[in-house]
Amino acid sequence: MASLVPCPHCGPRPKEEFTIKGAVLQRPAADAGTEEWFDYVYLRDNPRGAYDEYWHHTSGCRRWLVVARDTVTHQISACRDAADKTKVTSA
């Protein structure tokens, strides 16, 4: 059975319509040091459990989304438009 992603614009859609782009990370300030920028660009944690990721709905509405996913079970608990800080669509 295919996993469904609750797109806030298109409704539940198969995960194959999406491209995962990476972790939602706090961007350093423009005047941050080289080491802080290096960590932001190249270093990633490999968490076990709940994790927010940027996903692009490449075969649908073409919007950027923030998907809350468990890295152990791959269960998606919520999804929101990356531009909208308040609206959340639960799985």
Side-chain angles (χ1 to χ4, degrees):
M1 182 172 159
S3 297
L4 296 178
V5 178
C7 178
H9 305 287
C10 306
R13 304 300 303 161
K15 67 176 175 31
E16 291 79 16
E17 290 188 3
F18 298 83
T19 304
I20 301 173
K21 292 297 184 177
V24 175
L25 301 173
Q26 182 65 38
R27 183 181 175 99
D31 60 348
T34 305
E35 186 173 325
E36 191 172 348
W37 275 104
F38 180 88
D39 290 353
Y40 173 75
V41 172
Y42 295 107
L43 301 181
R44 294 290 178 263
D45 292 330
N46 190 11
R48 184 173 177 83
Y51 197 58
D52 286 344
E53 299 171 311
Y54 285 116
W55 287 35
H56 186 243
H57 196 173
T58 49
S59 296
C61 60
R62 303 193 56 78
R63 299 286 301 185
W64 282 99
L65 308 172
V66 174
V67 175
R69 181 178 68 87
D70 188 295
T71 60
V72 176
T73 64
H74 301 290
Q75 186 77 5
I76 294 172
S77 59
C79 182
R80 67 175 168 83
D81 191 300
D84 187 356
K85 304 294 183 201
T86 59
K87 183 180 177 183
V88 175
T89 304
S90 297

